[in-house]
Amino acid sequence: MEITPLVAHTFNNYIDVQGKVDADENIAVNAEMAGTVSKINVKVGDEVSPGQVLAELDAKAMQQGMAELQSGLDLATTMYEKQKISGSKK
C-alpha cells in the first residue's frame, strides 16, 4: 500500500448553462419586408416614437415582384375574358 501526501490546491469545476437574458430597455425591431437597408433615419441614442420610420429599404426587389404579379394577373384576365366570350357563343 502507498500513501500520497495531502497537498492543498484550487478545485476547479465547470458547468455549462444555456439561458436567455431580458433587459428592461431592449426592444426587438422587425422589418415589414425583406430587403437591403438603403437609409437609416436615426442615430444610436435617439429617442424614437411608435410608428416612426427608423430605416428605409431598397424597394427594387419588391417592385420587380409586383411587376411579375401584374403580368400574371394580366395574362389570367385575358384568358378569363377569352373563355367567357367563347362560352357565351355556345
Side-chain angles (χ1 to χ4, degrees):
M1 183 187 276
E2 184 178 331
I3 297 176
T4 306
L6 190 58
V7 179
H9 66 277
T10 305
F11 176 75
N12 291 322
N13 190 7
Y14 299 97
I15 180 171
D16 290 326
V17 177
Q18 294 182 355
K20 179 179 175 185
V21 177
D22 287 327
D24 292 339
E25 298 297 320
N26 288 347
I27 60 165
V29 178
N30 298 311
E32 291 181 353
M33 72 179 91
T36 304
V37 175
S38 61
K39 182 179 177 186
I40 299 176
N41 299 326
V42 294
K43 297 183 297 291
V44 173
D46 284 356
E47 188 172 320
V48 296
S49 304
Q52 180 180 349
V53 176
L54 304 179
E56 297 175 22
L57 301 178
D58 184 3
K60 288 179 189 173
M62 183 186 67
Q63 290 171 341
Q64 289 173 345
M66 287 176 58
E68 290 175 15
L69 290 171
Q70 185 63 50
S71 295
L73 176 61
D74 292 344
L75 176 62
T77 302
T78 301
M79 296 300 293
Y80 172 76
E81 291 298 327
K82 285 182 178 182
Q83 288 177 356
K84 188 169 89 171
I85 291 171
S86 74
S88 67
K89 291 181 179 180
K90 290 182 178 181

